[in-house]
Amino acid sequence: GGEVVIEFDIQNNFKNEDKVKIENVEVQVVIDNWEEDSEFDETTDDFDINSGRKKSNKKLTFDVPIEADETTYTAVVTVTGSNEDSGEEYTQIKEFGLRVEKDTNDVRVYRNTLSSSNVICSRTGIKHELGVVNMGDEDEDVVEVEVSSTDLGINFKDILDLKSGTFDDDILDTSSYRFDVPEDLPAGSY
């Protein structure tokens, strides 16, 4: 996924001459079914607002899950605070749609690891793992994965079948293989 930034303008509607400070103001955002049937729930640090003032520098930043479906999610924003003098609680709730759009074809590598990044003692049985995810809105029946290195003598190919969808193991696949580093290969980065 991509990154979402939600910026907030929160205002104390009391007039300056009222001298009413709203304290412990928090902004909470909740999005249901955001990640595998769990909700996104984040809250800003609390802050105070004097009468007639506005706070514009509050924001929440988060990532769209790679498995998110192409749909509109409902985000519920709840702003709470209390009157410094009377203790009266204030709450405002707003809802808005957060639309996730996907490209038709969007296959990405989400993991590329070696069992050991430093091959010191053993040059045999090194495991390479490559994870691929279909973030697009179409099935990808033939995804060709190729890993090669002339220096290491690697030329590995695999064909993957990735479905489209949400929070489903069929949109993810991992290709792994083992290889040996040639004995006569000098130390270095490859």
Side-chain angles (χ1 to χ4, degrees):
E3 182 179 76
V4 176
V5 178
I6 303 176
E7 295 181 358
F8 305 97
D9 290 335
I10 310 298
Q11 184 168 330
N12 180 338
N13 289 329
F14 285 100
K15 294 184 170 95
N16 283 338
E17 57 270 12
D18 294 334
K19 298 196 183 311
V20 175
K21 182 187 219 177
I22 311 263
E23 62 181 4
N24 301 318
V25 177
E26 291 183 335
V27 181
Q28 177 191 36
V29 176
V30 176
I31 305 170
D32 283 333
N33 298 318
W34 189 239
E35 285 191 83
E36 263 187 273
D37 297 324
S38 66
E39 69 181 22
F40 172 85
D41 186 344
E42 288 289 324
T43 304
T44 63
D45 293 334
D46 67 345
F47 55 96
D48 300 336
I49 308 175
N50 292 324
S51 8
R53 299 287 184 199
K54 178 168 49 171
K55 295 280 184 171
S56 301
N57 57 350
K58 299 301 174 190
K59 65 182 175 180
L60 284 174
T61 302
F62 54 95
D63 293 323
V64 176
I66 61 173
E67 304 96 342
D69 200 9
E70 182 171 34
T71 190
T72 299
Y73 293 88
T74 300
V76 179
V77 178
T78 304
V79 181
T80 58
S82 60
N83 185 313
E84 180 183 50
D85 295 327
S86 70
E88 183 180 354
E89 296 287 325
Y90 304 109
T91 301
Q92 286 287 316
I93 299 173
K94 298 282 184 187
E95 288 188 8
F96 66 93
L98 181 63
R99 177 91 183 132
V100 173
E101 295 180 352
K102 292 183 164 192
D103 292 333
T104 301
N105 303 102
D106 189 3
V107 175
R108 298 183 190 186
V109 172
Y110 71 92
R111 181 183 314 140
N112 185 15
T113 60
L114 288 174
S115 58
S116 173
S117 58
N118 288 325
V119 180
I120 298 172
C121 299
S122 173
R123 291 177 166 239
T124 60
I126 307 300
K127 182 179 178 183
H128 179 254
E129 195 169 85
L130 186 69
V132 181
V133 61
N134 181 6
M135 294 178 60
D137 65 3
E138 295 281 326
D139 289 350
E140 299 292 345
D141 299 327
V142 179
V143 176
E144 186 172 322
V145 175
E146 181 177 357
V147 179
S148 62
S149 170
T150 307
D151 294 333
L152 296 174
I154 299 170
N155 190 12
F156 174 78
K157 292 182 182 181
D158 198 3
I159 302 292
L160 306 176
D161 180 8
L162 300 172
K163 301 298 179 206
S164 64
T166 320
F167 309 114
D168 185 349
D169 289 338
D170 291 341
I171 69 169
L172 304 168
D173 203 351
T174 304
S175 233
S176 62
Y177 62 94
R178 295 191 178 277
F179 65 95
D180 297 331
V181 176
E183 289 294 329
D184 60 345
L185 189 68
S189 296
Y190 297 93

